[in-house]
């Protein structure tokens, strides 16, 4: 850790690798000798154009993105995509979409879809307070739906898909996780909070989107990976704002207007660092190690700490936990005492309460080890 820095367990924006921050700091005032900061230069100048092209290439290399997919850099974060998805798809013959509702973000996405078409709840874990993922046998998928949407990792609730939902899509005779009794349904994924933490199969999706402020940079951008048959505008609703049009974004290489230049540059630096470290398998291994360490501490506490999420769908990114069954006074003391050993932003989401540790790529193993040691000492001092 650099002098004066803390372990920041925020759910986003989140810690970034120190090496990435230091490289950005070195180039901040005078980017590669051009006499300007990235923050000052034209997005259409040769220096920044090269930054954007390199980020696109590294995205493709790291995520194994096929040539028939577009890489998009989008403003408005992932939340704007809740509207953008139906606006770009429900303008065709199919005006219904299925949503797998497994947490607050997929719930919000389904509600937003209802403004532009019919957002159908194919399954919901709301009755369990979003602590499970419903079994596939309980999903009510509509074979005539325009798409199926899911959120791979629910940041607030700490629930994560550890597989790609099987919705049976075929494209040009090629099977995409084929299920005979479902039919041909494109799959859309919000991967905001576990994007870049593990390998993903892009080919099983028509569209993937993710806010970058968890595992890939600071806030200000979302990335999109869009299959080219969804970039032609044929399904676009007439009311779709020009700025939300996938076709417009793709046709203009994500520069229909001025992009969030510095954030895009930061994403590019994060991608370079990811390549240097060995790509997604590196982050996958580290994520597995960090989350296992923390869950073992919780499960080994004899109930002093408890995680409400069913074990087979626990998130590796966001770990919610309570202390002594939700003892608010003790949890408040825990949060205050944690800052004394440089452990910050461990409060649970305001709608859920309790505690939450977010273990994104920028969180070093040493930070989790420090948290484990603190949790054990706090338990010893406060167990009744």
């Amino acid at each position: 850790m650099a002098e004066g820095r803390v372990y920041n367990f925020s759910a986003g924006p989140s810690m970034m690798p120190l090496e990435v921050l230091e490289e950005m700091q070195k180039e901040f005032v005078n980017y590669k000798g051009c006499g300007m900061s990235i923050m000052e230069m034209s997005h259409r100048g040769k220096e920044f154009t090269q930054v954007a092209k390199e980020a696109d290439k590294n995205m493709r290399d790291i995520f194994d993105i096929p040539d028939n997919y577009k890489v998009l850099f989008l403003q408005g974060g992932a939340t704007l995509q809740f509207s953008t998805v139906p606006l770009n798809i429900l303008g065709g013959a199919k005006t219904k979409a299925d949503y797998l509702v497994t947490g607050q973000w997929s719930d919000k996405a389904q509600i937003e879809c209802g403004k532009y078409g019919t957002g159908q709840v194919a399954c919901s874990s709301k009755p369990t307070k979003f602590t499970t993922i419903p079994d596939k046998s309980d999903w009510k998928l509509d074979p005539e739906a325009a798409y199926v949407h899911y959120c791979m990792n629910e940041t607030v609730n700490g629930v994560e898909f550890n597989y790609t939902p099987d919705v049976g899509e075929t494209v040009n005779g090629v099977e995409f996780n084929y299920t005979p009794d479902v039919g041909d349904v494109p799959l859309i994924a919000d991967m905001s909070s576990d994007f870049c933490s593990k390998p993903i199969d892009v080919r099983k999706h028509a569209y993937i989107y993710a806010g970058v402020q968890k595992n890939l940079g600071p806030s200000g951008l979302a990335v999109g990976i869009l299959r080219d048959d969804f970039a032609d505008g044929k399904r676009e609703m007439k009311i779709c704002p020009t700025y939300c049009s996938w076709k417009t974004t793709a046709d203009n290489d994500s520069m229909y207007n001025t992009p969030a230049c510095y954030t895009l540059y930061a994403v590019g630096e994060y991608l370079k660092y990811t390549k240097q470290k060995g790509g997604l398998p590196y982050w996958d291994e580290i994520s597995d190690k960090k989350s296992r360490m923390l869950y073992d501490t919780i499960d080994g506490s004899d109930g002093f700490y408890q995680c409400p999420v069913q074990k087979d769908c626990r998130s590796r990114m966001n770990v919610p936990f309570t202390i002594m069954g939700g003892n608010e006074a003790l949890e408040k003391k825990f949060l205050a005492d944690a800052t004394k050993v440089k452990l910050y932003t461990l409060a649970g989401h305001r709608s859920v309460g309790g505690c939450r540790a977010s273990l994104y790529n920028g969180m070093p193993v040493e930070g989790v080890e420090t948290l484990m040691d603190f949790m054990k000492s706090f338990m010893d001092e406060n167990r009744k």
Side-chain angles (χ1 to χ4, degrees):
M1 285 283 286
E3 185 178 352
R5 282 180 62 79
V6 300
Y7 295 115
N8 173 21
F9 290 89
S10 170
S14 59
M15 283 188 78
M16 290 175 59
L18 185 60
E19 296 91 334
V20 175
L21 292 174
E22 289 176 336
E23 182 65 23
M24 291 167 61
Q25 180 187 45
K26 185 175 70 176
E27 297 182 333
F28 185 77
V29 174
N30 185 358
Y31 177 71
K32 298 191 183 304
C34 75
M36 293 178 284
S37 169
I38 286 281
M39 297 183 76
E40 302 171 304
M41 64 179 58
S42 168
H43 62 293
R44 303 199 189 279
K46 64 178 181 179
E47 291 88 0
F48 190 79
T49 299
Q50 183 58 36
V51 168
K53 286 182 177 178
E54 190 172 10
D56 182 290
K57 182 183 184 305
N58 285 334
M59 275 279 293
R60 291 183 176 279
D61 291 345
I62 291 167
F63 290 91
D64 187 26
I65 300 174
D67 291 341
N68 64 320
Y69 282 75
K70 309 285 188 181
V71 172
L72 310 178
F73 296 106
L74 308 151
Q75 296 185 62
T79 301
L80 184 57
Q81 296 303 300
F82 295 169
S83 300
T84 299
V85 168
L87 283 167
N88 280 273
I89 300 179
L90 298 186
K94 298 180 178 180
T95 59
K96 299 181 294 182
D98 283 344
Y99 282 75
L100 309 181
V101 179
T102 56
Q104 290 196 24
W105 293 114
S106 50
D107 188 39
K108 290 176 186 293
Q110 183 270 327
I111 292 170
E112 191 69 14
C113 176
K115 296 179 179 179
Y116 310 106
T118 304
Q120 303 175 143
V121 178
C123 71
S124 176
S125 58
K126 205 167 192 175
T128 72
K129 296 183 178 180
F130 297 129
T131 57
T132 63
I133 292 178
D135 188 82
K136 289 182 184 179
S137 62
D138 295 326
W139 298 0
K140 294 179 174 60
L141 293 171
D142 182 353
E144 295 302 315
Y147 60 87
V148 176
H149 177 285
Y150 75 107
C151 179
M152 184 171 272
N153 184 80
E154 289 282 0
T155 317
V156 173
N157 307 96
V159 174
E160 184 174 18
F161 279 89
N162 54 25
Y163 60 92
T164 302
D166 184 345
V167 297
E169 185 185 13
T170 63
V171 178
N172 296 327
V174 178
E175 294 182 356
F176 284 72
N177 226 14
Y178 183 66
T179 302
D181 60 352
V182 175
D184 186 6
V185 184
L187 184 61
I188 310 289
D190 174 0
M191 294 189 182
S192 291
S193 50
D194 61 357
F195 191 70
C196 202
S197 71
K198 59 185 176 183
I200 57 175
D201 193 341
V202 171
R203 294 164 181 81
K204 289 181 179 177
H205 298 81
Y207 183 52
I208 294 167
Y209 65 94
V212 302
Q213 71 274 16
K214 319 289 189 178
N215 285 312
L216 200 53
S219 60
L221 275 181
V223 295
I225 303 174
L226 180 68
R227 206 172 63 215
D228 57 11
D229 57 316
F230 281 80
D232 58 13
K234 292 181 179 178
R235 299 176 178 86
E236 186 178 299
M237 297 182 72
K238 290 182 179 180
I239 63 168
C240 181
T242 303
Y243 194 64
C244 291
S245 166
W246 287 340
K247 183 179 189 304
T248 297
T249 304
D251 287 350
N252 289 275
D253 295 325
S254 300
M255 291 196 190
Y256 176 73
N257 74 331
T258 307
C261 294
Y262 199 76
T263 299
L264 204 164
Y265 156 72
V267 168
E269 292 302 307
Y270 213 127
L271 290 167
K272 290 178 192 175
Y273 182 76
T274 296
K275 264 191 168 181
Q276 292 168 10
K277 287 294 184 179
L280 298 180
Y282 171 79
W283 293 128
D284 190 27
E285 182 179 349
I286 297 294
S287 295
D288 199 55
K289 180 178 181 179
K290 291 187 295 188
S291 59
R292 284 181 186 275
M293 288 164 57
L294 186 50
Y295 282 121
D296 285 349
T297 300
I298 293 169
D299 294 339
S301 70
D302 195 26
F304 185 83
Y305 300 108
Q306 291 182 323
C307 174
V309 180
Q310 191 170 292
K311 286 188 176 182
D312 63 358
C313 57
R314 285 177 169 179
S315 169
R316 298 191 310 170
M317 298 289 101
N318 312 102
V319 181
F321 59 95
T322 58
I323 301 175
M324 292 290 287
N327 184 316
E328 292 184 8
L330 208 51
E331 289 169 351
K332 185 176 181 180
K333 184 176 188 294
F334 176 90
L335 297 174
D337 288 356
T339 62
K340 299 173 183 176
V341 287
K342 297 186 177 182
L343 302 172
Y344 278 70
T345 330
L346 284 163
H349 190 272
R350 62 187 180 278
S351 65
V352 176
C355 303
R356 175 179 55 174
S358 293
L359 311 178
Y360 299 126
N361 291 346
M363 174 58 64
V365 173
E366 294 77 17
V368 182
E369 290 173 340
T370 303
L371 176 58
M372 287 171 54
D373 292 341
F374 169 72
M375 290 174 71
K376 289 173 183 176
S377 64
F378 186 86
M379 177 179 65
D380 293 339
E381 293 169 9
N382 293 277
R383 187 191 292 277
K384 293 180 180 179

